[in-house]
Amino acid sequence: MVIKYSFILASLIVCATASLHAQNFSVRRVESSQGKITIYYDLLDTLARGYSINVYASRDNFIAPLEKISGDAGLEIKPGKNKKIVWDAPAE
C-alpha cells in the first residue's frame, strides 16, 4: 500500500567529521509500510571515520532534520553497506 504524504522526503545530508576524502553515499531503495518510510543506503569510505546523517523534508522548507528517526542516522555513523533508517512519518 502506497501512502501519500503532503510533504516529501527530500534529502539525506552527509557531512564528514574529518578532513576531506573521497566517500561514496548511495540510497539503495526506499520503502513505505504502515506509515513508516524505510531508507536503505550504503556509505563507503576507506577511512573509518564517523559521519553525521540527517533526513530532511520539505514540510518546513528543509530547515530542521526529522526527529522520529531510528536506525543508522545521527552522529558518528560509521561507513558500511546495508545501512537502514526508519522514519515514523505519522508520529512526526
Side-chain angles (χ1 to χ4, degrees):
M1 176 178 175
V2 176
I3 300 172
K4 295 184 179 185
Y5 297 96
S6 61
F7 47 88
I8 299 171
L9 178 63
S11 63
L12 297 174
I13 304 299
V14 178
C15 300
T17 58
S19 63
L20 290 176
H21 180 73
Q23 60 279 137
N24 184 344
F25 179 86
S26 60
V27 175
R28 307 298 294 191
R29 71 182 187 275
V30 178
E31 297 176 348
S32 174
S33 177
Q34 298 177 350
K36 294 188 178 184
I37 308 296
T38 305
I39 303 162
Y40 297 92
Y41 71 93
D42 294 337
L43 175 59
L44 305 178
D45 191 352
T46 56
L47 300 176
R49 59 182 162 196
Y51 288 84
S52 177
I53 307 292
N54 294 304
V55 182
Y56 293 82
S58 63
R59 64 189 174 97
D60 67 350
N61 205 22
F62 311 106
I63 293 172
L66 299 172
E67 295 180 5
K68 302 300 181 182
I69 298 289
S70 62
D72 298 306
L75 301 175
E76 296 300 319
I77 302 300
K78 297 295 182 190
K81 288 188 169 192
N82 302 314
K83 302 282 187 176
K84 179 171 89 169
I85 297 171
V86 179
W87 173 36
D88 189 352
E92 189 81 33

